Amino acid sequence: MKISKKAINIIFGILAAAFALGTIFLFTPKGNPQQEGRVILYVNGKPIYELELIRKAQTNPIFTLNPTGVLKPIIDTYFLEQVITLEALSQDAARIRVSSSEVKQQVDQLRQQLGVTDRAAYDNFLQSIGYTDSQLRDEIRTQIRIQKRIDEIRKKVKLSDEEARFYYELHKANYAAEDRVKARQIVLDDKAKAEEVYKQLLNGADFAELARKYSIVGADQGGAVGAEPGSSEPAPVTRLVFPTPVADAVFSLQNGGLTQIIESGGRYYIVKVEEFLPGGDQPYEKVAERVKEDALAVKQAGAVDNYIREVRERAVVKFTQDDIPYDYKNPVVAKVGDQEIKLAEVIQVVFADQQVGSLIQQGLGDLAVQFFFPTVTDQLITQKLLVQQAKASGKPFIGTEAQIAQDVQLWKTLDVTVTPEEVKKYYEENIERFTIPASATVKTVSFKDKETAEKFREKLLAGDPLEELAKGLGGKIDDLGTVNPGQLPPVQDQLVFKSQAPFAKAGDWEVSEVVEVPGQDGAKTYQVILVKDRKDAVTKAFEEVKAEAEKLALAAKRAKVAADWIEQLKKETPIENKIVKVLESLAPKKEEQTQPENQQAQPAQPDTQQAQPENQGAQQETPAASGQ
């Protein structure tokens, strides 16, 4: 029985420690050293065997490649760093007590999720992962210990009032009250009826009475939005209550009033805003509990991140021989002042991006290295620089280094404001942000030859039913739904949104001329494009989006101020970036590269000789994350 990818995912959904590392390792049974091959490395004196590493590598397709060139040391270092960190965490958590009942609960849950509740299926499962029941339980016990140790770290974190208040000041916008309205609405599914009702309202008719008489939503409450059951009084509601186009119109009426008829989702809305209730910052005392909960979670994440880093840095790693099948490299790639950034840290961030693994598997590993490694190194330089500034400020920043780097920029730009002129300028320079794009409902009918396509168009315009006609002539109908400019292929996009040529009419549909478009395998395809429900782009008036424009203009200005500050810091701080030189040094000469980078690796045959004890043959030592 071959273990499925789904089964592996379920296993590690249970073992949360793997998630703490952002890694997935298949269980590795601790067998007889005679059968595990030679020792490749020691972590704090504990041997890690060759066969154990081979098993672990099978859980990630990146690790099963046989990379060449610069990818070889990069992938090997990425793999071994994860092995070392997980082993170091396991050792640190060894003192944690785990009861047999806790292990049994996890095993039972695992068996239930994998559908191996009967003994035979469970035995087959164990065989497929190379485990005995006892070994599986030992592994699960270890993983529970790691999770408990991480929980210990979290529980020890205490949040001070100063930290909570400072966090609130930086993230005040997250706790601001939303704009709300008290309103009534009339919702209809007939445009003509909506126009008739709207005229009555303009002539002074009572809105609630017309809502009771005509609305298909909330008629018994006089159209009162948000009203309690049995009540006809509107309650304050946010934008989420309305469809987006309706909400845009409603919340533009900050002095109250009546919207025009707004179509959305095949319905027609008329809304009367009785009172506009502006949002804005709320005092700390009113949102203190939410702030404390959020800030504590942020501080706990930072504590766990620091714990994992410290455990790894304390680990003493010894590689046993020069001829091991792994090329571990961890040199310094950059310095920010006296703070070093090593290759392993860059690798960890790079491989957190799923695009990287995908590019490598497609044989584009060199491209990924050339682009991502310099970019990430520069990001880490900036991050270290900002964390240094946070520490120097004396302010109570909390969280991971990445969080602190973001927050120190917020702190630096807290006093930035925008003038009305700047808001208006932002609106004018970014008008596309405030424009509802043109749209249309589109279908295409495709044929293999032009003659049949012309025949279809002629008969459709003569009144033949679309579906039957297309089917009878062998056409293929594609319903593209409602689309905006840029979402269609170039030919169709040009015809629907840019061409001024008139379309013929067939019922509700506008019908294009027959057009030739590229087909599969270079073959020609002939299409008739059907369009209905065309809507032109609509630019929202400045007054309608003034509040939104002000927020965006302020965010843009703060980002610019922060970027200028970072550039100034880089000029004032001694920074050394050696990533390009390091990558060049890792790449072997071309004549040494004999295999394509994405060739599948052949599992090594472990040397079954007796492993040497730690004090013999330990030729390479890497305390913490030192490079070779």
Side-chain angles (χ1 to χ4, degrees):
M1 174 177 133
K2 183 179 180 181
I3 185 169
S4 68
K5 183 177 180 181
K6 179 181 178 182
I8 294 174
N9 290 337
I10 292 174
I11 292 169
F12 288 95
I14 295 172
L15 305 181
F19 280 105
L21 282 173
T23 63
I24 295 180
F25 283 139
L26 193 60
F27 299 125
T28 307
K30 303 170 181 63
N32 186 326
Q34 296 269 5
Q35 301 170 344
E36 292 295 307
R38 58 178 169 165
V39 175
I40 299 298
L41 71 156
Y42 294 89
V43 179
N44 296 326
K46 181 180 178 181
I48 306 296
Y49 293 94
E50 185 173 14
L51 187 57
E52 182 179 351
L53 292 174
I54 291 172
R55 290 195 192 99
K56 289 183 185 295
Q58 300 307 308
T59 65
N60 187 327
I62 295 299
F63 300 149
T64 61
L65 301 176
N66 188 22
T68 60
V70 70
L71 281 176
K72 168 66 174 170
I74 285 174
I75 291 178
D76 284 356
T77 301
Y78 177 45
F79 171 59
L80 290 174
E81 273 296 315
Q82 295 195 358
V83 171
I84 292 165
T85 303
L86 188 62
E87 177 58 39
L89 286 172
S90 176
Q91 294 176 20
D92 185 73
R95 62 176 179 80
I96 303 293
R97 292 181 61 112
V98 177
S99 68
S100 296
S101 62
E102 290 176 288
V103 175
K104 182 179 183 302
Q105 181 182 3
Q106 293 297 330
V107 172
D108 290 346
Q109 182 180 344
L110 174 64
R111 292 179 65 174
Q112 186 70 36
Q113 289 186 285
L114 293 177
V116 292
T117 53
D118 64 272
R119 187 68 204 185
Y122 179 55
D123 288 343
N124 286 336
F125 163 70
L126 290 173
Q127 184 178 3
S128 73
I129 61 172
Y131 259 74
T132 66
D133 179 68
S134 176
Q135 289 171 335
L136 175 61
R137 290 174 188 273
D138 285 345
E139 188 68 34
I140 287 178
R141 179 175 278 104
T142 297
Q143 300 293 346
I144 295 174
R145 283 195 182 107
I146 294 175
Q147 185 58 53
K148 282 190 170 187
R149 181 72 180 107
I150 288 173
D151 289 342
E152 278 186 356
I153 300 298
R154 288 196 181 101
K155 290 176 181 177
K156 288 180 181 178
V157 174
K158 304 298 180 185
L159 183 75
S160 70
D161 185 65
E162 180 188 16
E163 289 169 333
R165 289 181 179 274
F166 184 65
Y167 183 84
Y168 164 76
E169 288 299 322
L170 297 181
H171 300 276
K172 192 178 293 185
N174 294 343
Y175 304 98
E178 294 183 70
D179 292 344
R180 297 175 298 163
V181 294
K182 289 184 178 180
R184 295 181 185 273
Q185 66 179 356
I186 297 173
V187 184
L188 302 161
D189 54 13
D190 180 82
K191 185 176 182 180
K193 177 59 71 176
E195 291 172 345
E196 177 187 331
V197 170
Y198 191 68
K199 288 180 182 178
Q200 294 182 51
L201 291 170
L202 293 179
N203 289 327
D206 183 86
F207 194 100
E209 288 301 320
L210 290 182
R212 288 189 179 93
K213 186 175 182 180
Y214 296 111
S215 183
I216 61 175
V217 175
D220 58 339
Q221 295 177 300
V225 180
E228 295 290 334
S231 172
S232 59
E233 288 301 315
V237 296
T238 65
R239 295 176 58 94
L240 294 177
V241 170
F242 304 99
T244 299
V246 181
D248 290 342
V250 168
F251 281 82
S252 69
L253 298 175
Q254 297 189 13
N255 295 317
L258 189 68
T259 69
Q260 295 182 336
I261 300 171
I262 308 158
E263 189 275 330
S264 179
R267 289 181 168 184
Y268 300 88
Y269 294 77
I270 306 169
V271 183
K272 180 182 180 182
V273 177
E274 296 184 352
E275 185 179 2
F276 182 87
L277 305 169
D281 293 339
Q282 300 189 83
Y284 173 76
E285 289 71 21
K286 190 171 182 179
V287 294
E289 290 307 312
R290 284 175 56 204
V291 173
K292 290 177 181 178
E293 183 179 342
D294 293 345
L296 179 61
V298 167
K299 190 173 182 181
Q300 288 173 330
V304 171
D305 190 65
N306 290 336
Y307 162 70
I308 294 173
R309 182 183 295 110
E310 289 168 4
V311 168
R312 171 61 188 96
E313 288 175 351
R314 290 198 306 266
V316 177
V317 181
K318 295 181 179 180
F319 291 87
T320 58
Q321 301 174 38
D322 290 328
D323 64 342
I324 63 173
Y326 298 97
D327 190 5
Y328 179 91
K329 302 291 185 184
N330 193 21
V332 174
V333 298
K335 288 185 178 180
V336 183
D338 59 357
Q339 191 170 10
E340 295 179 342
I341 299 173
K342 293 192 173 182
L343 180 62
E345 185 175 359
V346 178
I347 290 173
Q348 188 68 26
V349 177
V350 167
F351 278 90
D353 188 328
Q354 295 182 353
Q355 292 183 73
V356 176
S358 176
L359 287 171
I360 291 174
Q361 291 182 74
Q362 294 174 45
L364 300 174
D366 287 342
L367 179 64
V369 169
Q370 292 169 17
F371 174 78
F372 285 98
F373 276 76
T375 301
V376 168
T377 302
D378 190 60
Q379 290 171 353
L380 287 173
I381 288 172
T382 300
Q383 180 174 296
K384 301 292 183 186
L385 190 60
L386 291 172
V387 170
Q388 291 174 6
Q389 291 299 309
K391 291 178 179 178
S393 73
K395 298 295 182 180
F397 290 96
I398 56 176
T400 63
E401 286 195 355
Q403 177 76 47
I404 292 172
Q406 292 177 4
D407 284 358
V408 75
Q409 295 177 73
L410 296 177
W411 167 71
K412 186 66 178 179
T413 59
L414 275 177
D415 296 332
V416 174
T417 59
V418 286
T419 65
E421 292 75 20
E422 288 174 318
V423 175
K424 186 64 180 292
K425 182 180 180 183
Y426 181 88
Y427 167 81
E428 292 170 346
E429 292 179 349
N430 298 274
I431 199 70
E432 69 283 350
R433 285 179 173 267
F434 308 101
T435 300
I436 301 172
S439 64
T441 300
V442 179
K443 288 184 179 182
T444 60
V445 187
S446 304
F447 298 89
K448 295 180 179 179
D449 63 273
K450 186 175 182 180
E451 182 180 353
T452 306
E454 294 281 11
K455 185 177 182 180
F456 165 81
R457 182 177 185 275
E458 179 182 349
K459 287 182 172 292
L460 182 65
L461 294 176
D464 284 18
L466 170 61
E467 304 286 344
E468 295 178 14
L469 179 59
K471 183 178 180 180
L473 294 175
K476 180 178 180 292
I477 299 178
D478 288 306
D479 188 347
L480 306 180
T482 300
V483 295
N484 305 118
Q487 295 180 343
L488 295 172
V491 173
Q492 293 90 329
D493 190 73
Q494 176 72 29
L495 278 170
V496 174
F497 293 111
K498 300 174 183 177
S499 175
Q500 300 299 316
F503 278 41
K505 292 285 290 185
D508 294 335
W509 293 97
E510 298 177 52
V511 184
S512 77
E513 298 287 345
V514 174
V515 294
E516 180 183 318
V517 297
Q520 293 183 346
D521 301 323
K524 295 180 180 179
T525 296
Y526 298 89
Q527 281 187 350
V528 176
I529 302 170
L530 309 178
V531 184
K532 69 176 180 180
D533 298 332
R534 288 182 187 266
K535 293 180 182 177
D536 293 333
V538 177
T539 299
K540 301 175 185 177
F542 175 68
E543 291 300 324
E544 183 181 343
V545 295
K546 185 176 179 181
E548 180 186 359
E550 184 175 2
K551 290 178 182 177
L552 292 172
L554 177 59
K557 187 174 181 180
R558 292 181 73 178
K560 176 66 166 58
V561 171
D564 291 344
W565 178 51
I566 290 169
E567 286 306 309
Q568 185 61 34
L569 290 175
K570 287 183 175 180
K571 293 177 182 178
E572 297 170 354
T573 306
I575 294 175
E576 185 178 5
N577 187 343
K578 303 187 294 182
I579 186 61
V580 173
K581 291 182 178 179
V582 168
L583 293 175
E584 290 174 351
S585 71
L586 296 179
K589 295 179 180 179
K590 290 185 178 180
E591 56 266 24
E592 297 177 13
Q593 300 181 24
T594 59
Q595 293 179 312
E597 69 181 39
N598 62 343
Q599 179 177 329
Q600 189 73 19
Q602 297 300 317
Q605 296 299 319
D607 184 350
T608 57
Q609 67 181 3
Q610 178 68 38
Q612 296 179 354
E614 177 187 352
N615 62 352
Q616 298 180 30
Q619 299 177 8
Q620 301 180 44
E621 180 172 340
T622 59
S626 60
Q628 294 186 31

CSV table of all heavy atoms in Angstrom, one decimal, residues 585-628:
chain,number,residue,atom,x,y,z
A,585,SER,N,30.3,32.0,-6.1
A,585,SER,CA,31.2,31.0,-5.5
A,585,SER,C,30.6,29.7,-5.3
A,585,SER,O,31.4,28.7,-5.3
A,585,SER,CB,31.7,31.6,-4.1
A,585,SER,OG,30.7,31.5,-3.2
A,586,LEU,N,29.3,29.6,-5.2
A,586,LEU,CA,28.7,28.3,-5.0
A,586,LEU,C,28.5,27.5,-6.3
A,586,LEU,O,28.4,26.3,-6.3
A,586,LEU,CB,27.3,28.5,-4.4
A,586,LEU,CG,27.2,29.1,-3.0
A,586,LEU,CD1,25.8,29.2,-2.5
A,586,LEU,CD2,28.0,28.2,-2.0
A,587,ALA,N,28.6,28.2,-7.4
A,587,ALA,CA,28.3,27.6,-8.7
A,587,ALA,C,29.6,26.9,-9.2
A,587,ALA,O,30.7,27.6,-9.3
A,587,ALA,CB,27.9,28.6,-9.7
A,588,PRO,N,29.6,25.6,-9.5
A,588,PRO,CA,30.8,25.0,-10.0
A,588,PRO,C,31.1,25.4,-11.4
A,588,PRO,O,30.3,26.0,-12.1
A,588,PRO,CB,30.5,23.5,-9.9
A,588,PRO,CG,29.0,23.4,-10.0
A,588,PRO,CD,28.5,24.7,-9.4
A,589,LYS,N,32.3,25.0,-11.9
A,589,LYS,CA,32.6,25.3,-13.3
A,589,LYS,C,31.7,24.5,-14.2
A,589,LYS,O,31.2,23.4,-13.8
A,589,LYS,CB,34.1,24.9,-13.6
A,589,LYS,CG,35.1,25.8,-12.8
A,589,LYS,CD,36.5,25.3,-13.1
A,589,LYS,CE,37.5,26.2,-12.3
A,589,LYS,NZ,38.9,25.7,-12.6
A,590,LYS,N,31.4,25.0,-15.4
A,590,LYS,CA,30.5,24.4,-16.3
A,590,LYS,C,30.8,22.9,-16.6
A,590,LYS,O,29.9,22.1,-16.7
A,590,LYS,CB,30.4,25.2,-17.6
A,590,LYS,CG,29.7,26.6,-17.4
A,590,LYS,CD,29.5,27.3,-18.7
A,590,LYS,CE,28.8,28.6,-18.5
A,590,LYS,NZ,28.6,29.3,-19.8
A,591,GLU,N,32.1,22.6,-16.7
A,591,GLU,CA,32.4,21.3,-17.1
A,591,GLU,C,32.1,20.3,-16.0
A,591,GLU,O,32.0,19.1,-16.2
A,591,GLU,CB,33.9,21.2,-17.4
A,591,GLU,CG,34.8,21.6,-16.3
A,591,GLU,CD,35.2,23.1,-16.5
A,591,GLU,OE1,34.4,23.8,-17.2
A,591,GLU,OE2,36.3,23.5,-16.1
A,592,GLU,N,31.9,20.8,-14.7
A,592,GLU,CA,31.5,19.9,-13.6
A,592,GLU,C,30.1,19.5,-13.6
A,592,GLU,O,29.6,18.6,-12.9
A,592,GLU,CB,31.9,20.6,-12.3
A,592,GLU,CG,33.4,20.8,-12.1
A,592,GLU,CD,33.7,21.5,-10.8
A,592,GLU,OE1,32.8,21.6,-10.0
A,592,GLU,OE2,34.8,22.0,-10.7
A,593,GLN,N,29.2,20.3,-14.4
A,593,GLN,CA,27.8,20.1,-14.3
A,593,GLN,C,27.4,19.1,-15.4
A,593,GLN,O,27.5,19.3,-16.6
A,593,GLN,CB,27.0,21.4,-14.6
A,593,GLN,CG,27.3,22.4,-13.5
A,593,GLN,CD,26.6,23.7,-13.8
A,593,GLN,OE1,25.5,23.7,-14.4
A,593,GLN,NE2,27.1,24.8,-13.3
A,594,THR,N,27.0,17.9,-15.0
A,594,THR,CA,26.8,16.8,-16.0
A,594,THR,C,25.4,16.3,-16.0
A,594,THR,O,25.0,15.5,-16.9
A,594,THR,CB,27.7,15.6,-15.6
A,594,THR,OG1,27.4,15.2,-14.3
A,594,THR,CG2,29.2,16.0,-15.7
A,595,GLN,N,24.5,16.8,-15.1
A,595,GLN,CA,23.1,16.4,-15.1
A,595,GLN,C,22.2,17.6,-15.1
A,595,GLN,O,22.5,18.6,-14.5
A,595,GLN,CB,22.8,15.6,-13.8
A,595,GLN,CG,23.6,14.2,-13.8
A,595,GLN,CD,23.2,13.5,-12.5
A,595,GLN,OE1,23.3,14.1,-11.4
A,595,GLN,NE2,22.9,12.3,-12.6
A,596,PRO,N,21.0,17.4,-15.8
A,596,PRO,CA,20.0,18.5,-15.8
A,596,PRO,C,19.6,18.7,-14.4
A,596,PRO,O,19.4,17.8,-13.6
A,596,PRO,CB,18.9,18.0,-16.7
A,596,PRO,CG,19.1,16.6,-16.8
A,596,PRO,CD,20.6,16.3,-16.6
A,597,GLU,N,19.3,20.0,-14.0
A,597,GLU,CA,19.0,20.3,-12.6
A,597,GLU,C,17.7,19.7,-12.1
A,597,GLU,O,17.5,19.4,-10.9
A,597,GLU,CB,18.8,21.8,-12.4
A,597,GLU,CG,17.7,22.4,-13.1
A,597,GLU,CD,17.6,23.9,-12.9
A,597,GLU,OE1,18.7,24.6,-13.0
A,597,GLU,OE2,16.5,24.5,-12.7
A,598,ASN,N,16.8,19.3,-13.0
A,598,ASN,CA,15.5,18.7,-12.6
A,598,ASN,C,15.5,17.2,-12.7
A,598,ASN,O,14.4,16.6,-12.7
A,598,ASN,CB,14.3,19.4,-13.3
A,598,ASN,CG,14.3,19.1,-14.8
A,598,ASN,OD1,15.4,18.8,-15.3
A,598,ASN,ND2,13.2,19.4,-15.4
A,599,GLN,N,16.7,16.6,-13.0
A,599,GLN,CA,16.7,15.1,-13.1
A,599,GLN,C,16.3,14.5,-11.8
A,599,GLN,O,16.8,14.9,-10.7
A,599,GLN,CB,18.1,14.7,-13.6
A,599,GLN,CG,18.2,13.1,-13.7
A,599,GLN,CD,19.5,12.7,-14.2
A,599,GLN,OE1,20.1,13.4,-15.0
A,599,GLN,NE2,20.0,11.6,-13.8
A,600,GLN,N,15.5,13.5,-11.8
A,600,GLN,CA,15.1,12.8,-10.5
A,600,GLN,C,16.3,12.1,-9.9
A,600,GLN,O,17.1,11.4,-10.6
A,600,GLN,CB,14.0,11.8,-10.8
A,600,GLN,CG,13.4,11.1,-9.6
A,600,GLN,CD,12.5,12.1,-8.9
A,600,GLN,OE1,12.1,13.1,-9.5
A,600,GLN,NE2,12.2,11.9,-7.7
A,601,ALA,N,16.5,12.3,-8.6
A,601,ALA,CA,17.6,11.7,-7.9
A,601,ALA,C,17.4,10.2,-7.7
A,601,ALA,O,16.2,9.8,-7.5
A,601,ALA,CB,17.8,12.3,-6.6
A,602,GLN,N,18.4,9.4,-7.9
A,602,GLN,CA,18.3,8.0,-7.5
A,602,GLN,C,18.7,7.8,-6.1
A,602,GLN,O,19.8,8.3,-5.6
A,602,GLN,CB,19.3,7.2,-8.4
A,602,GLN,CG,19.0,7.3,-9.9
A,602,GLN,CD,17.6,6.7,-10.2
A,602,GLN,OE1,17.3,5.7,-9.7
A,602,GLN,NE2,16.9,7.4,-11.0
A,603,PRO,N,17.8,7.3,-5.3
A,603,PRO,CA,18.1,7.2,-3.8
A,603,PRO,C,19.4,6.5,-3.6
A,603,PRO,O,19.8,5.5,-4.2
A,603,PRO,CB,16.9,6.3,-3.3
A,603,PRO,CG,15.8,6.5,-4.3
A,603,PRO,CD,16.5,6.7,-5.6
A,604,ALA,N,20.2,7.1,-2.7
A,604,ALA,CA,21.5,6.6,-2.4
A,604,ALA,C,21.4,5.3,-1.7
A,604,ALA,O,20.5,5.1,-0.9
A,604,ALA,CB,22.4,7.6,-1.6
A,605,GLN,N,22.4,4.4,-1.9
A,605,GLN,CA,22.4,3.2,-1.1
A,605,GLN,C,23.3,3.5,0.1
A,605,GLN,O,24.5,3.8,0.0
A,605,GLN,CB,23.1,2.1,-1.9
A,605,GLN,CG,22.3,1.7,-3.1
A,605,GLN,CD,20.9,1.2,-2.8
A,605,GLN,OE1,20.7,0.4,-1.8
A,605,GLN,NE2,19.9,1.6,-3.5
A,606,PRO,N,22.6,3.5,1.3
A,606,PRO,CA,23.4,3.8,2.5
A,606,PRO,C,24.5,2.8,2.8
A,606,PRO,O,24.4,1.6,2.6
A,606,PRO,CB,22.3,3.8,3.6
A,606,PRO,CG,21.3,2.9,3.1
A,606,PRO,CD,21.3,3.1,1.6
A,607,ASP,N,25.6,3.4,3.3
A,607,ASP,CA,26.7,2.6,3.7
A,607,ASP,C,26.3,1.9,5.0
A,607,ASP,O,26.0,2.6,6.0
A,607,ASP,CB,27.9,3.5,3.9
A,607,ASP,CG,29.2,2.7,4.3
A,607,ASP,OD1,29.1,1.5,4.5
A,607,ASP,OD2,30.3,3.3,4.3
A,608,THR,N,26.3,0.6,5.1
A,608,THR,CA,25.8,-0.1,6.2
A,608,THR,C,26.9,-0.4,7.2
A,608,THR,O,26.7,-1.1,8.2
A,608,THR,CB,25.2,-1.4,5.8
A,608,THR,OG1,26.1,-2.2,5.1
A,608,THR,CG2,23.9,-1.1,5.0
A,609,GLN,N,28.1,0.3,7.0
A,609,GLN,CA,29.2,0.0,8.0
A,609,GLN,C,28.8,0.7,9.3
A,609,GLN,O,28.0,1.6,9.4
A,609,GLN,CB,30.5,0.6,7.5
A,609,GLN,CG,30.5,2.1,7.4
A,609,GLN,CD,31.8,2.7,6.9
A,609,GLN,OE1,32.7,1.9,6.6
A,609,GLN,NE2,31.9,4.0,6.8
A,610,GLN,N,29.3,0.2,10.4
A,610,GLN,CA,29.0,0.7,11.8
A,610,GLN,C,29.4,2.2,11.8
A,610,GLN,O,30.5,2.6,11.5
A,610,GLN,CB,29.8,-0.1,12.8
A,610,GLN,CG,29.6,0.4,14.3
A,610,GLN,CD,28.2,0.1,14.7
A,610,GLN,OE1,27.6,-0.9,14.4
A,610,GLN,NE2,27.6,1.1,15.4
A,611,ALA,N,28.4,3.0,12.3
A,611,ALA,CA,28.7,4.4,12.4
A,611,ALA,C,29.7,4.7,13.5
A,611,ALA,O,29.7,4.0,14.5
A,611,ALA,CB,27.4,5.2,12.7
A,612,GLN,N,30.6,5.7,13.2
A,612,GLN,CA,31.6,6.0,14.2
A,612,GLN,C,31.0,6.8,15.4
A,612,GLN,O,30.1,7.6,15.1
A,612,GLN,CB,32.7,6.9,13.6
A,612,GLN,CG,33.4,6.1,12.5
A,612,GLN,CD,34.5,7.0,11.9
A,612,GLN,OE1,34.6,8.2,12.2
A,612,GLN,NE2,35.3,6.5,11.0
A,613,PRO,N,31.4,6.6,16.6
A,613,PRO,CA,30.9,7.5,17.7
A,613,PRO,C,31.3,8.9,17.4
A,613,PRO,O,32.2,9.2,16.6
A,613,PRO,CB,31.6,6.9,18.9
A,613,PRO,CG,32.8,6.1,18.4
A,613,PRO,CD,32.4,5.7,17.0
A,614,GLU,N,30.7,9.8,18.2
A,614,GLU,CA,30.8,11.2,18.0
A,614,GLU,C,32.2,11.7,18.1
A,614,GLU,O,32.6,12.6,17.3
A,614,GLU,CB,29.9,12.0,19.0
A,614,GLU,CG,30.1,13.5,18.9
A,614,GLU,CD,29.4,14.1,20.0
A,614,GLU,OE1,28.7,13.5,20.8
A,614,GLU,OE2,29.5,15.4,20.2
A,615,ASN,N,33.0,11.1,18.9
A,615,ASN,CA,34.4,11.7,19.1
A,615,ASN,C,35.4,11.1,18.1
A,615,ASN,O,36.6,11.3,18.2
A,615,ASN,CB,34.9,11.4,20.5
A,615,ASN,CG,34.9,9.9,20.8
A,615,ASN,OD1,34.5,9.1,20.0
A,615,ASN,ND2,35.5,9.5,22.0
A,616,GLN,N,34.9,10.4,17.1
A,616,GLN,CA,35.7,9.9,16.0
A,616,GLN,C,35.3,10.4,14.7
A,616,GLN,O,34.1,10.3,14.4
A,616,GLN,CB,35.8,8.4,16.0
A,616,GLN,CG,36.3,7.8,17.3
A,616,GLN,CD,36.3,6.3,17.3
A,616,GLN,OE1,36.5,5.7,16.2
A,616,GLN,NE2,36.2,5.6,18.4
A,617,GLY,N,36.1,10.8,13.9
A,617,GLY,CA,35.8,11.1,12.5
A,617,GLY,C,34.9,12.4,12.3
A,617,GLY,O,34.4,12.6,11.3
A,618,ALA,N,34.7,13.2,13.3
A,618,ALA,CA,33.9,14.4,13.2
A,618,ALA,C,34.8,15.5,12.7
A,618,ALA,O,35.4,16.2,13.4
A,618,ALA,CB,33.3,14.7,14.6
A,619,GLN,N,34.8,15.6,11.3
A,619,GLN,CA,35.8,16.5,10.7
A,619,GLN,C,35.2,17.9,10.5
A,619,GLN,O,36.0,18.8,10.2
A,619,GLN,CB,36.2,15.9,9.4
A,619,GLN,CG,36.9,14.5,9.6
A,619,GLN,CD,37.3,13.9,8.3
A,619,GLN,OE1,37.2,14.5,7.2
A,619,GLN,NE2,37.8,12.7,8.3
A,620,GLN,N,33.9,18.0,10.4
A,620,GLN,CA,33.3,19.4,10.1
A,620,GLN,C,32.4,19.7,11.3
A,620,GLN,O,31.5,18.9,11.7
A,620,GLN,CB,32.5,19.4,8.8
A,620,GLN,CG,33.4,19.0,7.6
A,620,GLN,CD,32.6,19.0,6.4
A,620,GLN,OE1,31.8,19.9,6.1
A,620,GLN,NE2,32.8,18.0,5.5
A,621,GLU,N,32.5,20.9,11.8
A,621,GLU,CA,31.7,21.3,12.9
A,621,GLU,C,31.0,22.7,12.6
A,621,GLU,O,31.7,23.6,12.1
A,621,GLU,CB,32.5,21.5,14.2
A,621,GLU,CG,31.7,21.9,15.4
A,621,GLU,CD,32.6,21.8,16.7
A,621,GLU,OE1,33.6,21.1,16.7
A,621,GLU,OE2,32.2,22.5,17.6
A,622,THR,N,29.7,22.8,12.9
A,622,THR,CA,29.1,24.0,12.6
A,622,THR,C,28.2,24.4,13.8
A,622,THR,O,27.0,24.2,13.9
A,622,THR,CB,28.1,24.0,11.4
A,622,THR,OG1,27.2,22.9,11.6
A,622,THR,CG2,28.9,23.7,10.1
A,623,PRO,N,28.8,25.0,14.8
A,623,PRO,CA,28.0,25.5,16.0
A,623,PRO,C,27.1,26.5,15.5
A,623,PRO,O,27.4,27.4,14.7
A,623,PRO,CB,29.0,26.0,17.0
A,623,PRO,CG,30.2,26.3,16.1
A,623,PRO,CD,30.2,25.4,15.0
A,624,ALA,N,25.9,26.5,16.0
A,624,ALA,CA,24.8,27.4,15.6
A,624,ALA,C,24.6,27.3,14.1
A,624,ALA,O,24.5,26.2,13.5
A,624,ALA,CB,25.1,28.9,16.0
A,625,ALA,N,24.7,28.4,13.3
A,625,ALA,CA,24.5,28.4,11.9
A,625,ALA,C,25.7,28.8,11.2
A,625,ALA,O,25.7,29.4,10.1
A,625,ALA,CB,23.3,29.3,11.5
A,626,SER,N,26.9,28.4,11.6
A,626,SER,CA,28.1,28.8,11.0
A,626,SER,C,28.3,28.2,9.7
A,626,SER,O,27.8,27.1,9.4
A,626,SER,CB,29.3,28.5,11.9
A,626,SER,OG,29.3,27.1,12.1
A,627,GLY,N,28.9,28.9,8.8
A,627,GLY,CA,29.1,28.4,7.4
A,627,GLY,C,30.4,27.5,7.3
A,627,GLY,O,31.2,27.4,8.2
A,628,GLN,N,30.5,26.9,6.2
A,628,GLN,CA,31.6,26.1,5.9
A,628,GLN,C,32.6,26.8,5.0
A,628,GLN,O,32.1,27.6,4.1
A,628,GLN,CB,31.3,24.7,5.3
A,628,GLN,CG,30.5,23.9,6.2
A,628,GLN,CD,30.2,22.5,5.6
A,628,GLN,OE1,31.0,22.0,4.8
A,628,GLN,NE2,29.1,21.9,5.9
